[in-house]
Amino acid sequence: MSGKTVALVLGSGGARGMAHIGVINWLEANGYIIRSVAGASMGALVGGIYTAGKLPEFTHWLQALTRSDIVTLLDFSFGRTGLFKGEKIIDALRALIGTHQIEDLPISFTAVATDVELGKEVWFNKGPLFDAVRASIAVPMFFTPVEYKGRMLLDGGLVNPVPIAPTFGDDTDMTIAVNLGGAYDPDLNMAEPTSDIANSIEQYHKRIKSFLAGLQDKSDSVPEKDWGLFDTLNLSFETMQGTIARMKLAAYAPDHIIEVPRNVCRSLEYDRADEIIAYGENRAAEVLSHLQR
């Protein structure tokens, strides 16, 4: 057993973030002591729930989710700043996990969001846990921004997909970062039909396009690529995040990096919890097992 202390950095990446659970499970099973956690987006969500001591409850909840369950958790905003309000998801998590203040958590925790007007990181290390998580998971155009002290906040992955800097002052034996934007693995197969969630988004988008089409001359139409709105936004966001993550990891190298390929699952495939959690556990073993010898 290790007994070594760890500062754990959990990156952004949608449903791939369920791999974080597997990494944490492996670390705990092998005697590592996680003293602090910093996370962006899904990394903030998993990290915050872990530091609150409720990861088993959250894991069971994820394992029971179906695609139709996920659709029911999406509350359309019908506004201009995002497709969904995100309130139903946060309310469901509060009911499951309870309310917590970050400064009272037994493990140090920082959630990272982005001030979109200033283009700067915002670190949450005090205040209500799920207020911080909601800001950190506010994917542009998907969730509406969060207003905080007069500032509009979006997903932390916009400026720091793998937020190592919040752990710099931690007195631990090592820093381990989990990057969910790893290189494509050709052995993985992600060629599946678009999920029900993405289909719902596309149907909403089509209704908007149909309405707008009635307001303009058909002769003005321009041929489009065979991509839906969600595909375009998601792939653009992930490409940007991957580039930023590589720069951050090069500039602030942690002791160990666990890379999760971008094609291990689609960003909304939360119904694949067992598979993705197991993948994270296996990746942790592959990268860190040599430390046990």
Side-chain angles (χ1 to χ4, degrees), residues 57-135:
E57 290 87 342
F58 179 57
T59 302
H60 295 323
W61 183 76
L62 284 174
Q63 290 168 330
L65 278 181
T66 64
R67 290 186 176 186
S68 58
D69 291 332
I70 300 167
V71 172
T72 63
L73 289 170
L74 298 176
D75 44 358
F76 282 110
S77 71
F78 299 102
R80 294 178 297 174
T81 59
L83 287 173
F84 306 104
K85 292 181 286 187
E87 294 174 5
K88 288 181 72 173
I89 292 175
I90 294 300
D91 287 346
L93 291 173
R94 281 199 186 100
L96 178 71
I97 307 303
T99 57
H100 301 269
Q101 294 291 117
I102 295 175
E103 59 269 32
D104 296 333
L105 297 173
I107 299 172
S108 175
F109 174 67
T110 302
V112 176
T114 300
D115 182 326
V116 288
E117 292 181 303
L118 297 179
K120 294 183 177 180
E121 298 175 38
V122 177
W123 294 2
F124 287 90
N125 47 32
K126 61 182 179 180
L129 173 62
F130 282 109
D131 286 0
V133 168
R134 173 62 182 87

Side-chain angles (χ1 to χ4, degrees), residues 116-158:
V116 288
E117 292 181 303
L118 297 179
K120 294 183 177 180
E121 298 175 38
V122 177
W123 294 2
F124 287 90
N125 47 32
K126 61 182 179 180
L129 173 62
F130 282 109
D131 286 0
V133 168
R134 173 62 182 87
S136 189
I137 67 170
V139 178
M141 296 299 295
F142 191 82
F143 286 127
T144 56
V146 171
E147 186 174 352
Y148 173 75
K149 295 183 178 179
R151 307 156 80 179
M152 297 302 289
L153 305 184
L154 282 172
D155 194 299
L158 280 168

